[in-house]
Amino acid sequence: MERSLRAARVATYVYFVLCGTLLGTWVVHIPAIEERVGISHATLGGLLVVLGLGALAGMQVAGPLTDRLGTRVVVPAGGVLCATTLLLPGLAHDPWTLAAALLVFGLCNGCLDVSMNAHAVHVEKAYGRPVMSGFHATFSVGGVLAALAGAGMAGAGLNPAAGMALVGAVGAVVALAAARALLPAAPDVEGPGPAHETGTSPAAGGRGTPGRVWLLAVLALMVMLCEGAANDWSALHLKDVMGASAGTAAFAYGTFAAAMTAGRLLADPFAARFGPPAILRHGAAMAAVGITLVVLSPWIWAVFTGWALFGLGLSGCVPQLFSAAGHADPSAAGANVARVAGLGYVGMLAGPAVIGWLTHLVALNHAFVLLTLLCVTTAVGARVLRTGPGPVRQAETLTAADRTCRPEKAADRPETAADRTCRP
């Protein structure tokens, strides 16, 4: 059992890397496809919204489907579909065919995203301790692999269609090869897996689960709106507000992304020791300090420090929210993760647009005050993670027998049968 659980964890890492690589391969080919199709930056922006809408639809389809058919079926299917449809944007020859290709690719990417996160929840429950942040860190590793592969294929003279077809073919093989190691179903909540933070069963709190899941989804929207804003506006802030060169400004996003990746690699041990609510609360507070430093500081080194704190603080937030959604009701892990991921994805898409709209009213650095407010609100709302089940160390589980046997036997009375029963 222990060996199969380790294999399932490795397989989950593989699917997260695969998802990041497939999405990253599309991203690194955007300039070449934009030039070949002959569209403007404004048109490209609209087509990226189509990609996001497809992903959002795919998430809502894959969530309930994962709960019904199981992750061992839906995760590899999502991986194969996402890999095979990666070729479609490379074949597009006008804006309409590119829009259709991005809609289909986004749909399949959303299916893979939600199903692999649902499986990650099952793995985490079986482990009995937080492991979700590590999975999300490997998604970023996939983006790095895509960038390296894209540079290599461009150097070899491959056109976008050929390069994306090659990556897609390898991805489909990987998705099928890793399928055998996946868990067949969610682990039994009454078995040797982790206990609930509140000590209650899912059924006991089932009536309050939907409302709590939507609260988690709202927090995910706020956190991922902050991430989306940093992705698109960090470099422009350094260039336009701080007066940095284009080369120096590029390091703003690099600093944010590197800090986020490092934070996700480190978040799981801290979540195991201090609990997911602490990761969300203190992480969001750190992010608020970081973005406030970006807003107020006149020194470029302090701005870099602010972006690093912003990325480090946000790094562990989304994994804790996804994990809490999946653990709220193991029988509906896929659907609940889809709700939280879907609304969070709306925030990711809306973040750049919201900040852009605010720049018509105030300076760019002042528009970032909105991100400070969202981070503070998230820190205050972190208490929602305390109200439902989640992974904790098994050693901390207190059973009914433990509570019965807790009182120590007085030294001045004879030993009873109950004392002998409770004796280790």
Side-chain angles (χ1 to χ4, degrees):
M1 176 62 183
E2 186 175 346
R3 180 178 298 177
S4 63
L5 184 56
R6 284 198 301 267
R9 186 179 183 184
V10 171
T12 311
Y13 283 130
V14 169
Y15 283 106
F16 271 81
V17 172
L18 175 63
C19 188
T21 303
L22 296 175
L23 189 60
T25 299
W26 148 248
V27 170
V28 299
H29 284 96
I30 284 177
I33 293 175
E34 181 186 35
E35 181 179 357
R36 193 190 68 193
V37 175
I39 56 177
S40 64
H41 292 335
T43 302
L44 176 64
L47 292 175
L48 292 177
V49 172
V50 173
L51 173 68
L53 293 175
L56 183 60
M59 290 175 183
Q60 304 316 305
V61 170
L65 204 60
T66 300
D67 295 329
R68 179 175 299 179
L69 302 179
T71 52
R72 182 174 277 184
V73 173
V74 181
V75 174
V80 171
L81 289 173
C82 189
T84 53
T85 56
L86 175 63
L87 170 65
L88 297 180
L91 296 176
H93 53 81
D94 59 43
W96 293 106
T97 54
L98 182 56
L102 291 178
L103 181 66
V104 174
F105 176 65
L107 183 76
C108 297
N109 181 263
C111 290
L112 174 59
D113 194 322
V114 161
S115 59
M116 71 184 186
N117 271 287
H119 184 263
V121 169
H122 299 333
V123 172
E124 185 176 61
K125 176 168 280 294
Y127 262 87
R129 57 183 172 84
V131 294
M132 181 68 80
S133 292
F135 294 136
H136 282 250
T138 55
F139 179 88
S140 301
V141 173
V144 174
L145 293 177
L148 294 175
M153 288 183 291
L158 288 179
N159 61 52
M164 296 169 87
L166 178 60
V167 173
V170 173
V173 172
V174 170
L176 291 174
R180 293 183 61 186
L182 296 175
L183 295 177
D188 187 355
V189 296
E190 300 299 331
H196 300 158
E197 285 181 356
T198 58
T200 60
S201 67
R207 181 172 295 183
T209 295
R212 177 174 176 263
V213 168
W214 285 118
L215 287 176
L216 295 171
V218 170
L219 293 178
L221 183 147
M222 293 190 289
V223 171
M224 294 180 73
L225 189 150
C226 291
E227 289 186 27
N231 291 342
D232 283 28
W233 291 101
S234 53
L236 285 172
H237 170 264
L238 244 74
K239 184 176 181 294
D240 295 345
V241 177
M242 303 302 296
S245 66
T248 301
F251 281 104
Y253 173 70
T255 300
F256 169 80
M260 176 165 282
T261 302
R264 285 180 171 170
L265 289 172
L266 298 172
D268 286 331
F270 284 94
R273 180 168 183 178
F274 301 107
I279 297 297
L280 184 60
R281 181 184 306 108
H282 297 300
M286 180 187 295
V289 171
I291 197 63
T292 302
L293 191 59
V294 170
V295 170
L296 299 178
S297 179
W299 303 293
I300 196 167
W301 61 266
V303 171
F304 276 117
T305 301
W307 284 119
L309 289 174
F310 193 55
L312 189 63
L314 292 178
S315 62
C317 294
V318 167
Q320 306 312 316
L321 294 169
F322 281 19
S323 175
H327 289 297
D329 182 357
S331 66
N336 288 336
V337 170
R339 294 185 182 103
V340 174
L343 202 55
Y345 205 81
V346 170
M348 180 75 78
L349 294 174
V354 170
I355 296 298
W357 179 77
L358 287 175
T359 58
H360 293 293
L361 305 175
V362 296
L364 177 58
N365 58 324
H366 295 156
F368 288 159
V369 171
L370 173 64
L371 307 184
T372 300
L373 297 176
L374 293 177
C375 290
V376 170
T377 304
T378 301
V380 173
R383 68 184 64 185
V384 71
L385 292 185
R386 293 186 179 276
T387 62
V392 295
R393 290 185 296 274
Q394 189 173 351
E396 295 175 350
T397 306
L398 189 65
T399 66
D402 294 330
R403 288 190 290 270
T404 301
C405 299
R406 180 182 286 174
E408 297 291 335
K409 180 183 78 67
D412 58 350
R413 68 172 175 81
E415 184 179 61
T416 65
D419 295 327
R420 287 190 292 273
T421 301
C422 293
R423 184 189 301 152

